[in-house]
Amino acid sequence: MQKLLIIFSFFFFFNATLDESNIDIELSTVDSTTFEISWSVNIQDYEELILEINNNGTIEKYQIPTSAGSIEMCCYADEVEVTILVIVTKSIEQDSKECLAVDCYDFIKETYFNTKKISFPTTTTTTSTTTTTTSTTTTTIPPVVIEEKVDFLNIEITNALITSIPLFDDIDLTDQEKNSMAVIVSTSIIVLFYIVLLLHEWFNKILSENNIRWFKSDKEFVKSSKLKNILKISFVLILTSFLVGYVEEGASISIDLENIAIFIAAFIGLASVTLFSEGTEGFIESKYLKQKVKIKWAPQAIFFAMVSTVSFIYFNMPIGFIFGFVASSYIISQRSSAKISPKFFSSISLSIAGFGFFYLTSTEFVLNSTVMTAIASLSYLMCLEGVLFKSLPGGGNELFESLNDSQGAYKILPLVSFLIGVWLFIRILIISPESEFANFQQDILGMGSFSITFAIMLLIYILGILILGFGVKVFSEDE
């Protein structure tokens, strides 16, 4: 026990500094088992005062409400060690060469302490005559015991990706001036960023339409078991969420509550996008149109997430960080067309899901929890970006496919669905002063001259995806 106590004390005071001049402790005995503690702390702007009492290997920890006072403690024997810890949080301005923003600060917690000891006489048993004595009982109010409770649903989340996503109350959907805007003028760097997201969908489409030697061919895929496909999709989902949630600047992998929360948010967001998009289309094709449907895994999601992570580590900015589809539907169809294309239902379903998650950020239940807010915010961002980039020509191109797959007057429905998705994307993610676009623009302005390097990096990445995509089309066979 003594060794464990020494080890515990070593780790606890590893970053602590002895300060006898500003932390004063006076101990005095009251009776054979009771002593009085008087303290005075002359440190300004402290965050927390902690009293520790160590008696015979047992450590009691209390929170002290004031910087000066006294209290009687009972009941103890032998030697008692009393320690007062003062926890102070200091902000240190970073060197401008190491920080891309206008002002950057590091917040460091420092601990100062002082320790005093008091001894009680050893109790011995003796034979004595019985006498009548008058005793005085002292009633003391003990300090507040520190309750170490962790509320996972309300941990502090500082991840820039999560905090930059606007909530429902940040955007006024009734602002007619902004609703009537037809053209959104943005910087060329942000346009390049969205072109990257568009090319992700284009590359995903190419992989789903061509046989790649690295992956399973059509025949091999048809023969593969459902369990094997589910395991592959789950692997992509978990690994992509891991890259979003755990890997931070400097490539340091730390398992803490914030990263676990972001992992859960990314996991739910990725799963929701795939479910409402590919899941809806596959369900309608299978159950209502009686077509054979297979769900294929999308290993390219891991590729994009890894490239994004490496860029985030070395350049402090994510590139195409969110790739919302971890699986793609492969439909073996014997029909020519449908009255209403299943892709319309998947598009409108994704738009409704995106707005639903967005609306949740206005509810008290979600706003009262930082984790629930992160889940809703990240999910609606993935859904709204997925609707647009999956439909556009040059991306997933599903708008034209949906128009060609519908009959007669029903062709208007895919167009309506697309326009709804475009309006939600522009109104929520572009126009608002608190939107992803606005926050991204502020980040770029804070990058200074490095923004040119960032733009070149985007262009190289775009060129790489184009070369890779056209290479797959040229050297692969159509499925």
Side-chain angles (χ1 to χ4, degrees):
M1 177 63 69
Q2 188 67 22
K3 291 182 178 180
L4 290 177
L5 179 60
I6 294 173
I7 294 173
F8 173 83
S9 300
F10 173 78
F11 281 101
F12 194 87
F13 292 108
F14 185 75
N15 291 320
T17 302
L18 179 64
D19 191 346
E20 296 179 341
S21 60
N22 292 314
I23 304 174
D24 182 59
I25 304 174
E26 296 294 336
L27 306 179
S28 60
T29 56
V30 177
D31 55 37
S32 59
T33 60
T34 305
F35 70 100
E36 183 181 39
I37 307 173
S38 300
W39 70 90
S40 176
V41 176
N42 189 26
I43 297 177
Q44 302 298 322
D45 299 326
Y46 62 84
E47 182 176 333
E48 192 175 13
L49 295 179
I50 296 176
L51 169 66
E52 281 193 357
I53 300 177
N54 185 354
N55 180 227
N56 293 327
T58 301
I59 297 178
E60 301 172 6
K61 185 186 294 187
Y62 305 94
Q63 184 172 355
I64 302 176
T66 60
S67 60
S70 62
I71 192 169
E72 291 185 5
M73 303 298 292
C74 177
C75 303
Y76 299 92
D78 301 327
E79 185 179 71
V80 179
E81 183 181 61
V82 176
T83 302
I84 291 182
L85 299 161
V86 182
I87 301 174
V88 179
T89 300
K90 293 184 177 181
S91 61
I92 300 176
E93 186 172 2
Q94 289 184 339
D95 190 345
S96 59
K97 296 181 180 179
E98 300 177 358
C99 176
L100 299 177
V102 177
D103 294 308
C104 288
Y105 295 89
D106 277 337
F107 293 92
I108 300 175
K109 283 193 175 183
E110 296 182 348
T111 302
Y112 302 91
F113 74 97
N114 193 8
T115 300
K116 290 290 181 67
K117 294 181 180 180
I118 189 171
S119 298
F120 292 93
T122 304
T123 302
T124 58
T125 304
T126 60
T127 303
S128 61
T129 58
T130 304
T131 59
T132 303
T133 60
T134 302
S135 61
T136 302
T137 303
T138 302
T139 303
T140 61
I141 302 175
V144 179
V145 179
I146 298 178
E147 297 183 2
E148 297 182 357
K149 293 183 179 180
V150 177
D151 185 1
F152 177 72
L153 292 179
N154 285 291
I155 62 174
E156 182 181 3
I157 295 180
T158 58
N159 182 275
L161 174 66
I162 301 296
T163 56
S164 64
I165 303 175
L167 306 181
F168 184 88
D169 292 336
D170 295 330
I171 298 173
D172 181 12
L173 296 178
T174 63
D175 191 326
Q176 296 302 319
E177 181 181 355
K178 292 181 178 178
N179 289 342
S180 64
M181 296 179 64
V183 179
I184 305 301
V185 179
S186 64
T187 65
S188 59
I189 295 177
I190 298 180
V191 171
L192 288 175
F193 175 79
Y194 284 121
I195 290 176
V196 167
L197 297 181
L198 192 66
L199 287 176
H200 280 184
E201 286 302 325
W202 172 78
F203 187 71
N204 183 46
K205 190 72 172 180
I206 289 176
L207 290 182
S208 66
E209 293 178 346
N210 294 271
N211 283 322
I212 313 299
R213 187 180 63 178
W214 310 320
F215 311 126
K216 295 291 185 182
S217 66
D218 183 21
K219 294 181 179 180
E220 291 174 328
F221 180 79
V222 172
K223 292 179 181 179
S224 62
S225 65
K226 291 183 179 179
L227 177 60
K228 191 174 182 180
N229 293 332
I230 292 174
L231 290 176
K232 288 181 178 179
I233 294 171
S234 300
F235 171 74
V236 177
L237 177 59
I238 292 173
L239 184 56
T240 305
S241 301
F242 174 85
L243 291 173
V244 174
Y246 281 80
V247 181
E248 296 181 340
E249 183 178 356
S252 59
I253 300 177
S254 59
I255 301 178
D256 56 29
L257 288 179
E258 181 182 358
N259 284 340
I260 293 175
I262 297 172
F263 169 81
I264 294 173
F267 185 93
I268 294 176
L270 290 167
S272 299
V273 170
T274 301
L275 176 65
F276 284 107
S277 179
E278 306 294 344
T280 300
E281 180 183 2
F283 179 81
I284 294 175
E285 289 279 6
S286 175
K287 299 300 181 182
Y288 293 96
L289 300 179
K290 307 303 179 184
Q291 304 301 308
K292 191 172 183 179
V293 176
K294 293 289 182 179
I295 303 298
K296 301 171 65 175
W297 70 314
Q300 62 271 24
I302 299 177
F303 170 77
F304 291 136
M306 289 181 68
V307 173
S308 301
T309 301
V310 171
S311 301
F312 180 62
I313 292 170
Y314 288 101
F315 300 101
N316 298 326
M317 289 297 294
I319 301 179
F321 195 48
I322 299 174
F323 185 80
F325 303 94
V326 296
S328 59
S329 59
Y330 179 66
I331 302 168
I332 304 174
S333 177
Q334 304 297 326
R335 61 177 178 81
S336 56
S337 63
K339 284 186 177 180
I340 305 176
S341 173
K343 293 186 183 298
F344 158 74
F345 293 101
S346 66
S347 177
I348 198 68
S349 175
L350 197 56
S351 294
I352 293 173
F355 184 80
F357 282 117
F358 174 60
Y359 179 76
L360 285 177
T361 63
S362 71
T363 62
E364 183 177 354
F365 171 74
V366 172
L367 290 175
N368 287 338
S369 167
T370 56
V371 175
M372 297 298 294
T373 302
I375 291 173
S377 300
L378 195 57
S379 296
Y380 93 68
L381 179 64
M382 290 182 178
C383 287
L384 295 184
E385 287 184 343
V387 172
L388 184 66
F389 299 127
K390 201 172 180 65
S391 300
L392 283 174
N397 199 34
E398 291 195 354
L399 172 61
F400 287 157
E401 293 179 3
S402 183
L403 289 171
N404 294 332
D405 195 31
S406 301
Q407 297 178 356
Y410 292 107
K411 290 181 180 291
I412 193 67
L413 294 179
L415 186 59
V416 171
S417 174
F418 172 73
L419 293 177
I420 291 174
V422 170
W423 183 80
L424 288 173
F425 178 86
I426 293 176
R427 189 62 191 86
I428 297 175
L429 300 181
I430 300 295
I431 296 178
S432 171
E434 300 296 329
S435 68
E436 180 196 36
F437 180 91
N439 289 318
F440 192 14
Q441 190 173 47
Q442 290 301 315
D443 289 337
I444 292 175
L445 292 174
M447 293 168 67
S449 60
F450 180 74
S451 60
I452 304 300
T453 304
F454 181 59
I456 296 173
M457 181 176 61
L458 286 173
L459 288 171
I460 294 174
Y461 184 67
I462 289 171
L463 182 62
I465 292 295
L466 287 172
I467 293 174
L468 191 59
F470 283 117
V472 170
K473 294 185 70 172
V474 171
F475 296 105
S476 301
E477 296 180 358
D478 292 339
E479 293 189 350

